[in-house]
């Protein structure tokens, strides 16, 4: 100890020695405590921290009394040491060892925290007007009265208003200093910022406030203190401080007894604080902070979160742009939808989300990333909200089973259903089929009686996945767990062995050869649920006698659409009828193929003369025209598509009987890049002619159109044509059923590395049109966060962005205030 360079290792050795020998160190305790006090007075941080570590070890040692040294150590710690985790740990051990010093330590520590968080108010805390806050909370909770919710100044709207966030306040000092779990979590989330000495002290102060035992202080004192000193950090420019402030507030309230909700002033102040924290969960520009806040809303806080005002703030998080945030929001609202909370206000948005996810599963292709996210969210929703799904189990099961059958048509069942999507490299996944199989297991657990009729269709998928050795262990475990859930819920035991002789060998083979112990445990659990077969029957029956039933017949049988009979032609149409009849005969003849283009032009010339009256000839003309279009040569296709566009404009609303066939033409020729502009023109003409009838058939083409924006190298000219069509569909209200996928695809354009200004401008115009519809209200945060990033990256589009935001404000009214000021 004579050399200061040896102080750290010597202090640590003394602490470890005291912990090991216990009472034997008492004769030397005076000298050790004296050395600890000298170490605390040293200006070197390393010596001070090692002295604190030494004292913590001594306090942990059994049968050592520290009462006579407690006051001296407390004074030395608070006079000479800066706030650090070692200091907080030493104080925590001290109050455990000396409970009589608890209040003194708590008061001085709270004063130290105040000096860091609010230096101007260190000696005199002025609490907020709790009476006014209570009156405000009472008004907002009363029926029929609404109050503007608390706003988050760092939400996307604030970024848009200020255009750029000043970076001058970020100090570059101590950028490699370890901030513990707080900094590590943000680094893992992909967010790193420079950390200064003051920021490090604030982070430690906030962590201490949330984790230290302040049980002897009055709850109203801590709540007032937090309201004065911590709430302002929710609006700080630094993401790390905003996150730690929100975490500290939640942890502080969680550490308080439940009785705070029964006292008027503490309940109102707690409600006030949590409402501010809930605003961060939807309005903070950093997704990792929004996720952390949602996770911090633990079940003890549900009695506040289920109140209408806080619940209305949390609902938009169901449509967050990040998948993990949406999952956490589903978990939170699933808890709040329980009967003892507030199901009347929590269930409607969850029910709406359920319908949306089922629609997305039916609309997207099998390898689409959005569909995989929808399948994952659906499984999580079924797990989190069993009360919600119980009345809808039959239709949900029907949709999921049909989806599995559709995915298993072309390839082997397990290989197709459980394949990994190639477009996602950032996280592991089971693929769409894996999530659907998992969701089916949740459905079977929630309502087994409604699932018995689907067993014959589902078991071949699950059993084939068990036998497929090419899929990963994680995917195989999903299949095993789902099989156990199906059998346990429906009581369909023993019989699967008899109907599928390869099932038992597959399960026993998995027990022997599976490397993952978690999968082995799941297999053994499923074997127990399935039950045991009669050994004599197993010996007599040869598995080779029967093959595994491959499930339903996969042969696809098409259906022919009957042609409608038209009425008798009037005398005025006699010549037109005769001419069209002759022209159609020429169109049917394959020997006159070189004249088909001129024939169709002649028919269109007659239709232009007749105007809308030509609709009586459509049943004979359109099927033949579409058939000729599909079979014609590529160089003649352009002329046919032009004439088809002309026909749609002529007949207008009368084309509604053939909209399904025409949309099929759009889907069939979408890959033809040479004529894609004509196909899009055709879709625009249909939107103008029959906007309502077109909505039912758009799921066939919208996913294909949106895939245009998924390519890293986005062509400016091609994307502008697609955006023009999307704008037309948006103006006619055809995209309201596809808002989640449209918004996601269009906002992804903002993140592309190389994108033309005219494309950005057209995307913003299209989104502005979507903002005119009331349905976009639920996705406001999903728009505002990308808008904020666009303004930073492309300041030249500020005016267009502000027009979109103003349109959104006019559409949402006062509801907009929950997302941004």
């Amino acid at each position: 100890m004579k050399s200061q360079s040896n102080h750290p290792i010597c202090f640590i050795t003394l602490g470890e020695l005291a912990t090991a020998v216990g009472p034997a160190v008492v004769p030397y305790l005076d000298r050790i405590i004296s050395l600890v006090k000298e170490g605390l007075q040293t200006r070197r941080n390393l010596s001070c921290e090692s002295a604190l570590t030494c004292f913590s070890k001594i306090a942990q040692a059994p049968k050592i009394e520290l009462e006579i040294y407690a006051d001296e150590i407390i004074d030395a710690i608070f006079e000479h040491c800066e706030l650090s985790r070692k200091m907080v740990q030493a104080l925590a051990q001290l109050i455990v060892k000396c409970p009589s010093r608890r209040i003194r330590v708590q008061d001085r520590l709270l004063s130290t925290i105040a000096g860091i968080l609010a230096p101007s108010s260190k000696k005199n805390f002025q609490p907020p007007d709790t009476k006014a806050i209570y009156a405000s909370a009472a008004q907002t909770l009363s029926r029929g009265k609404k109050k503007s919710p608390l706003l988050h100044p760092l939400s996307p709207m604030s970024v848009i208003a200020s255009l750029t966030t000043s970076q001058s306040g970020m100090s570059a000092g101590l950028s490699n200093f370890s901030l513990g779990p707080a900094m590590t979590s943000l680094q893992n989330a992909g967010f790193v910022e420079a950390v200064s000495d003051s920021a490090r002290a604030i982070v430690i102060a906030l962590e201490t406030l949330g984790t230290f035992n302040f049980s002897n202080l009055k709850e109203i004192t801590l709540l007032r203190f937090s309201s004065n000193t911590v709430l302002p950090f929710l609006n700080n420019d630094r993401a790390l401080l905003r996150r730690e402030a929100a975490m500290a507030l939640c942890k502080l309230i969680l550490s308080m007894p439940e009785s705070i909700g029964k006292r008027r002033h503490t309940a109102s102040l707690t409600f006030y604080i949590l409402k501010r924290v809930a605003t961060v969960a939807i309005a903070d520009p950093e997704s990792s902070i929004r996720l952390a806040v949602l996770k911090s809303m633990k079940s003890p806080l549900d009695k506040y979160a289920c109140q209408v005002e806080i619940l209305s703030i949390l609902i938009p998080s169901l449509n967050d742009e990040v998948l993990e945030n949406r999952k956490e929001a589903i978990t939170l609202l699933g808890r709040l939808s329980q009967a003892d909370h507030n199901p009347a206000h929590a269930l409607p948005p969850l029910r709406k989300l359920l319908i949306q996810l089922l629609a997305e599963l039916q609309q997207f292709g099998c390898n689409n990333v959005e569909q995989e996210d929808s399948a994952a969210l659906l499984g999580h929703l079924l797990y989190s909200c069993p009360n919600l799904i119980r009345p809808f189990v039959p239709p949900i099961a029907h949709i999921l089973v049909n989806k599995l059958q559709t995915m298993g048509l072309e390839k082997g069942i397990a290989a197709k259903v459980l394949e990994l999507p190639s477009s996602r490299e950032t996280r592991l996944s089971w693929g769409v089929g894996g999530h659907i199989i998992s969701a089916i297991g949740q459905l079977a657990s929630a309502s087994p009686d409604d699932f018995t009729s689907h067993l014959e269709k589902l078991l071949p998928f699950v059993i084939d996945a068990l036998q497929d050795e090419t899929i990963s262990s994680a995917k195989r475990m999903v299949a095993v767990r789902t099989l156990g859930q199906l059998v346990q819920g429906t009581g369909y035991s023993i019989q699967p062995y008899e109907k599928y002789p390869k099932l038992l060998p597959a399960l026993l083979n998995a027990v022997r050869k599976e490397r993952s112990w978690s999968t082995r445990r799941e297999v053994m659990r499923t074997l127990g649920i399935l039950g045991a077969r009669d050994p004599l029957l197993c010996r007599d029956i040869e598995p080779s006698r029967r093959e595994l039933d491959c499930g339903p017949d996969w042969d696809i049988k098409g259906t022919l659409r009957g042609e409608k009979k038209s009425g008798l032609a009037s005398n005025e149409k006699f010549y037109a009828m005769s001419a069209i009849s002759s022209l159609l005969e020429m169109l049917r003849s394959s020997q006159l193929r070189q004249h088909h283009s001129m024939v169709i032009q002649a028919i269109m010339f007659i239709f232009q003369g007749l105007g809308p009256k030509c609709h009586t000839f459509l049943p004979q003309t359109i099927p033949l025209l579409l058939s000729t279009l599909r079979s014609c040569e590529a160089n003649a296709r352009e002329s046919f598509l032009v004439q088809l566009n002309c026909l749609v404009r002529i007949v207008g609303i009368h084309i509604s009987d053939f909209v399904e066939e025409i949309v099929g033409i759009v889907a069939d020729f979408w890959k033809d890049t040479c004529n894609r502009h004509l196909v899009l023109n055709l879709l625009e003409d249909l939107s103008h002619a029959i906007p309502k009838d077109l909505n039912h058939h758009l799921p066939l083409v919208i996913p294909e159109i949106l895939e245009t924006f998924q390519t890293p190298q986005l062509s400016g000219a091609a994307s502008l044509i697609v955006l023009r069509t999307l704008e037309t569909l948006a103006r006619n209200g055809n995209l309201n059923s596809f808002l989640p996928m449209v918004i996601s695809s269009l906002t992804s354009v903002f993140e592309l590395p190389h994108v033309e200004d005219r494309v950005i401008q057209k995307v913003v115009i299209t989104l502005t049109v979507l903002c005119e519809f009331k349905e976009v209200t639920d996705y406001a945060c999903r728009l505002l966060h990308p808008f904020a990033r666009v303004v930073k990256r492309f300041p030249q589009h500020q005016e267009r962005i502000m027009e979109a935001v103003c349109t959104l404000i006019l559409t949402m009214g006062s509801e907009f205030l929950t997302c941004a000021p």
Side-chain angles (χ1 to χ4, degrees), residues 84 90 94 107 140-141 149 153 174 176 179 237 241 253 279 337 389 426 473 549 575 602 646 697 752 770 784 813:
S84 64
L94 177 61
D107 289 340
T140 56
L141 293 175
L174 294 179
N176 60 348
L179 283 178
D237 291 339
L241 299 186
I253 296 175
T279 306
S337 66
I389 65 170
T426 56
S473 177
D549 185 8
Y575 297 106
C646 181
H697 307 283
L752 295 178
L770 289 176
L784 292 176

Side-chain angles (χ1 to χ4, degrees), residues 684-750:
E684 292 180 36
D685 292 335
L686 287 174
S687 177
H688 289 304
I690 46 171
K692 293 184 179 179
D693 294 335
L694 183 62
N695 289 338
H696 303 293
H697 307 283
L698 281 178
L700 188 63
V701 295
I702 289 295
E704 298 286 346
I705 294 175
L706 294 181
E707 284 184 2
T708 307
F709 305 103
Q710 304 300 325
T711 57
Q713 300 297 330
L714 189 64
S715 172
S719 59
L720 286 175
I721 298 174
V722 176
L723 287 170
R724 184 199 64 198
T725 302
L726 288 177
E727 181 184 355
T728 302
L729 295 175
R731 292 189 186 280
N732 294 324
N734 297 123
L735 297 182
N736 292 345
S737 301
F738 309 91
L739 285 178
M741 59 189 80
V742 172
I743 291 174
S744 176
S745 298
L746 292 183
T747 53
S748 66
V749 176
F750 300 149

Side-chain angles (χ1 to χ4, degrees), residues 141-217:
L141 293 175
S142 62
R143 180 176 297 181
K145 295 184 179 180
K146 291 185 179 180
K147 186 178 185 296
S148 297
L150 296 168
L151 307 176
H152 190 271
L154 281 180
S155 58
M157 272 305 302
S158 294
V159 180
I160 292 172
S162 60
L163 297 183
T164 56
T165 303
S166 174
Q167 300 295 327
S168 59
M170 287 200 179
S171 173
L174 294 179
S175 59
N176 60 348
F177 193 91
S178 174
L179 283 178
M183 189 62 185
T184 303
S185 61
L186 280 182
Q187 288 175 341
N188 293 338
F191 181 86
V192 181
E193 64 174 334
V195 181
S196 64
D197 290 332
S198 60
R200 182 176 66 89
I202 292 173
V203 168
I204 296 175
L206 291 172
E207 287 182 358
T208 304
L209 184 63
T211 57
F212 196 80
N213 182 10
F214 291 104
S215 58
N216 284 54
L217 296 180

Side-chain angles (χ1 to χ4, degrees), residues 62 105 231 350 391 504 594 639 685 751:
V105 171
L231 280 182
L350 291 173
L504 183 58
Q594 67 273 18
S639 175
D685 292 335
E751 312 298 333

